[in-house]
Amino acid sequence: MVLNFSESEARVYEYLKKNKEASIDQLLALDQQQDKIRRAIETLKYNGLIEELATATTFYELGNEGKDALENCFLEERLCDYLATREITVSELNTKDIPNLKREDIPLAFGLAKKLGLIEISESNLIKVNSDYKDKLNRQRQMLEAVAEGGNLQQTQLEDFLKRKGFLIKKEKQSKKYKLLEIASYQVAEGKELYLTPDMLKSQDYLKLDFKAFDVEKLPAPKDIGRVHPLRHLCRKIREAYLEMGFKEMKAPYVETSFWNMDAMFISQMHPARDIQDTFYLKKSGELPKDRDLIFRVSETHKNGWITGSCGYQYDWDEELAKKLVLRTHTTAATFRTFYELCEEEKEGAKYFCIDKVFRNETSDYTHLSEFHQAEGFIIGDELSLSDLMAFIKEFLKKFGLTKVRFKPTYNPYTEPSVEASGYNEKTKSWIELINAGIFRPEALAPFRIKKTVIAWGFGVERLAMLVYQHPIKDIHGNDASLDWLRSYTIPKIEAEK
């Protein structure tokens, strides 16, 4: 069979016939009109005459923190430079103003200096800087400079930098090359047009042109098609489960004031969860609710417990801190917005759920991500107990085929008692923390004039996905997600226990 080639197809074919294989750059250099070469490559691939070989090379570039370390020294170096000529105890450290070091960065710099062996702590709690700290940091700097210059470091050398947020950015470079698979007989279809263009239609030139013949009976090459992401599929199943159980859905914004994200639910303004290490803060402030009576009730509850019988936190509640904008750290913010909007009838009995994104300023690992999905729910009713809450959780998880569930006590500022539910991972033979739950404290409910018992729970959808799909979080969601697995994953057949 004699094939009809365009001039570009013949040029690519002959080049590969002579050289056996070529990179994409070598082929594109065959013609100034590179689109013609690209179309020629695709046509030859489709006809099975050439093969495309794609390889991916991973490399790293400096992030903002890495660039800052090269330009202005490491955080731990700034700390050691300051401590080298001073006698300071560990307890005094956080009270010091250290040049070129933000107050919130001092604990991080201290931890890094200790981990790298730059400092030692004496029996009297004094911080002593080791004499060789500059040599150790210079070795770190040389490795960072090598990355900046495009050099390759061993994975073990990169590990410490990769653990530091914003130091390195992982990138991937795709390279393609082509090789000839089959010798074919062909003729060049000279003077024939390949494609019908809009300009040809407008000018009606297509009536005078001679087009290359196409085999219209031949099926097109298969293409990768989009499919439902496994997390989206699981979110749909969770939503169906809630709706089947008579729940209503609630929503709230990603960007929240600290008031809704923390203050309203009786989280102290001095709670460690508010630290910049745990929460993503925005530079601007937001607005508090227009209901000044609600703000009064929340502030009094923090100060002295208001009418709850509690002593509160015994501090002066700061309205400006409550205005700070954050990326919400949990969907419980949606719960308290809903409490505020409930009618009197619903305050006597209601069931709501929320499935949405939340954000935590933490390092990604096997079970953690900085951006993930949370499923939240609450029930308002008469004399609900911890047993009711645990029974509901077991019943809910049965809908996803999970029957091995265990509970242990935990602590939450806004629930008492509080429990943590874990599910068993059959693949890793280990327990995975799934659900944080409890009964809302009077201090969290009284400002919203809710007198009934409220049981509530929240869980990471990615955690549940690990058990349902038997895959680690990093393969399912995030920057390092496995595209091969996402294209080929099998939706598990979930058989709930009757």
Side-chain angles (χ1 to χ4, degrees):
M1 179 180 176
V2 178
L3 299 174
N4 286 321
F5 280 0
S6 67
E7 292 181 6
S8 299
E9 290 163 4
R11 198 172 297 152
V12 172
Y13 174 82
E14 289 298 332
Y15 187 90
L16 289 173
K17 185 177 177 182
K18 178 182 177 182
N19 297 283
K20 305 303 181 188
E21 93 178 14
S23 68
I24 181 67
D25 292 332
Q26 288 171 320
L27 294 180
L28 291 176
L30 295 175
D31 197 316
Q32 289 184 341
Q33 293 181 294
Q34 294 188 347
D35 284 346
K36 287 186 176 181
I37 297 296
R38 292 186 189 278
R39 286 195 292 265
I41 290 171
E42 292 303 315
T43 302
L44 294 174
K45 274 170 54 183
Y46 175 67
N47 287 318
L49 298 177
I50 66 174
E51 179 184 21
E52 180 180 273
L53 304 171
T55 56
T57 305
T58 299
F59 65 99
Y60 294 89
E61 290 183 356
L62 293 187
N64 290 333
E65 296 298 325
K67 292 175 182 176
D68 181 59
L70 276 187
E71 292 174 9
N72 305 308
C73 300
F74 293 96
L75 296 180
E76 57 270 33
E77 185 170 4
R78 300 172 207 174
L79 177 67
C80 289
D81 288 343
Y82 177 79
L83 294 173
T85 57
R86 294 170 174 83
E87 289 190 353
I88 295 174
T89 64
V90 175
S91 57
E92 294 173 334
L93 189 59
N94 282 331
T95 65
K96 301 296 180 182
D97 290 321
I98 300 175
N100 302 316
L101 195 60
K102 296 177 183 176
R103 185 69 65 87
E104 60 265 24
D105 288 336
I106 292 177
L108 175 60
F110 176 78
L112 290 167
K114 194 173 179 184
K115 180 182 177 182
L116 294 171
L118 309 180
I119 59 174
E120 293 178 1
I121 312 300
S122 69
E123 291 183 3
S124 58
N125 230 17
L126 278 173
I127 306 170
K128 179 187 175 184
V129 179
N130 293 328
S131 58
D132 63 345
Y133 82 95
K134 284 288 186 184
D135 294 333
K136 290 181 179 178
L137 288 169
N138 282 335
R139 286 194 287 272
Q140 294 283 98
R141 185 177 289 103
Q142 286 168 6
M143 287 191 283
L144 208 57
E145 287 171 347
V147 174
E149 293 168 3
N152 292 320
L153 296 182
Q154 295 179 0
Q155 191 64 28
T156 51
Q157 294 175 309
L158 289 168
E159 284 301 326
D160 286 338
F161 292 136
L162 290 172
K163 290 175 183 176
R164 298 177 66 165
K165 191 171 295 182
F167 247 66
L168 299 182
I169 300 172
K170 183 180 179 181
K171 294 201 170 183
E172 201 173 77
K173 183 180 180 181
Q174 292 278 350
S175 59
K176 295 179 181 179
K177 62 180 180 179
Y178 302 87
K179 69 176 184 178
L180 193 67
L181 291 179
E182 186 179 330
I183 301 296
S185 298
Y186 70 90
Q187 61 183 11
V188 178
E190 295 182 7
K192 293 194 176 183
E193 295 290 336
L194 281 176
Y195 301 102
L196 184 65
T197 66
D199 288 339
M200 292 177 188
L201 290 171
K202 288 177 184 177
S203 63
Q204 295 193 336
D205 284 348
Y206 71 93
L207 297 172
K208 312 167 195 172
L209 297 172
D210 189 12
F211 288 90
K212 177 186 170 182
F214 285 89
D215 186 352
V216 294
E217 295 183 355
K218 198 169 185 179
L219 292 174
K223 295 287 184 183
D224 288 331
I225 59 173
R227 61 183 312 213
V228 176
H229 191 279
L231 275 184
R232 187 173 293 278
H233 172 76
L234 187 58
C235 285
R236 288 175 181 173
K237 290 296 179 184
I238 294 170
R239 180 174 281 105
E240 287 173 10
Y242 274 125
L243 293 173
E244 285 172 2
M245 299 172 85
F247 283 75
K248 296 179 182 179
E249 189 166 7
M250 55 185 174
K251 289 284 186 180
Y254 290 166
V255 177
E256 281 284 18
T257 57
S258 295
F259 178 85
W260 288 115
N261 195 70
M262 297 172 192
D263 295 88
M265 60 190 73
F266 197 58
I267 296 178
S268 165
Q269 291 189 332
M270 296 180 289
H271 194 281
R274 294 188 183 235
D275 289 347
I276 198 165
Q277 286 89 348
D278 298 310
T279 305
F280 289 110
Y281 281 92
L282 280 69
K283 291 183 179 179
K284 295 183 178 181
S285 293
E287 295 294 329
L288 296 182
K290 293 181 179 179
D291 186 346
R292 296 300 302 179
D293 191 33
L294 172 65
I295 296 170
F296 169 78
R297 296 194 296 266
V298 169
S299 65
E300 286 298 302
T301 305
H302 278 250
K303 289 177 186 177
N304 52 44
W306 193 40
I307 61 171
T308 63
S310 162
C311 294
Y313 291 117
Q314 297 293 307
Y315 69 84
D316 290 329
W317 185 77
D318 189 340
E319 194 167 305
E320 292 306 311
L321 281 178
K323 290 180 180 179
K324 285 193 172 182
L325 289 175
V326 300
L327 291 179
R328 67 177 178 199
T329 56
H330 43 200
T331 47
T332 315
T335 290
F336 278 81
R337 278 184 174 273
T338 302
F339 282 170
Y340 180 54
E341 295 167 359
L342 289 176
C343 64
E344 292 304 317
E345 184 181 352
E346 285 188 307
K347 287 180 182 179
E348 298 294 316
K351 295 191 290 187
Y352 276 85
F353 77 94
C354 175
I355 307 169
D356 221 332
K357 281 186 182 180
V358 296
F359 310 87
R360 302 274 175 86
N361 192 1
E362 58 187 13
T363 304
S364 299
D365 59 25
Y366 185 84
T367 58
H368 294 85
L369 290 170
S370 57
E371 176 187 323
F372 57 98
H373 297 78
Q374 201 172 57
E376 175 101 3
F378 71 82
I379 299 174
I380 300 177
D382 287 312
E383 299 179 0
L384 294 171
S385 67
L386 190 63
S387 296
D388 295 316
L389 175 59
M390 293 165 67
F392 172 84
I393 290 172
K394 284 184 177 180
E395 192 64 30
F396 183 82
L397 291 178
K398 277 182 184 178
K399 293 180 175 290
F400 299 90
L402 300 176
T403 55
K404 289 186 179 181
V405 181
R406 71 182 185 187
F407 297 89
K408 71 175 183 180
T410 189
Y411 167 77
N412 288 317
Y414 42 88
T415 58
E416 179 60 37
S418 307
V419 293
E420 190 176 85
S422 299
Y424 190 69
N425 189 327
E426 297 288 353
K427 189 173 182 178
T428 61
K429 306 298 180 188
S430 62
W431 292 90
I432 293 179
E433 297 172 8
L434 274 181
I435 296 179
N436 197 313
I439 300 176
F440 275 121
R441 297 171 61 109
E443 296 94 328
L445 298 177
F448 297 91
R449 304 195 186 283
I450 297 174
K451 298 177 182 178
K452 300 291 185 178
T453 307
V454 182
I455 59 175
W457 57 91
F459 62 91
V461 176
E462 283 80 358
R463 293 286 184 95
L464 182 60
M466 287 177 67
L467 294 174
V468 171
Y469 295 108
Q470 292 293 298
H471 265 267
I473 285 178
K474 66 182 180 65
D475 282 355
I476 299 172
H477 181 51
N479 294 338
D480 297 324
S482 170
L483 293 179
D484 289 336
W485 183 77
L486 292 176
R487 290 188 184 107
S488 60
Y489 80 93
T490 302
I491 296 175
K493 184 180 180 181
I494 299 172
E495 295 182 356
E497 188 176 285
K498 302 296 184 185

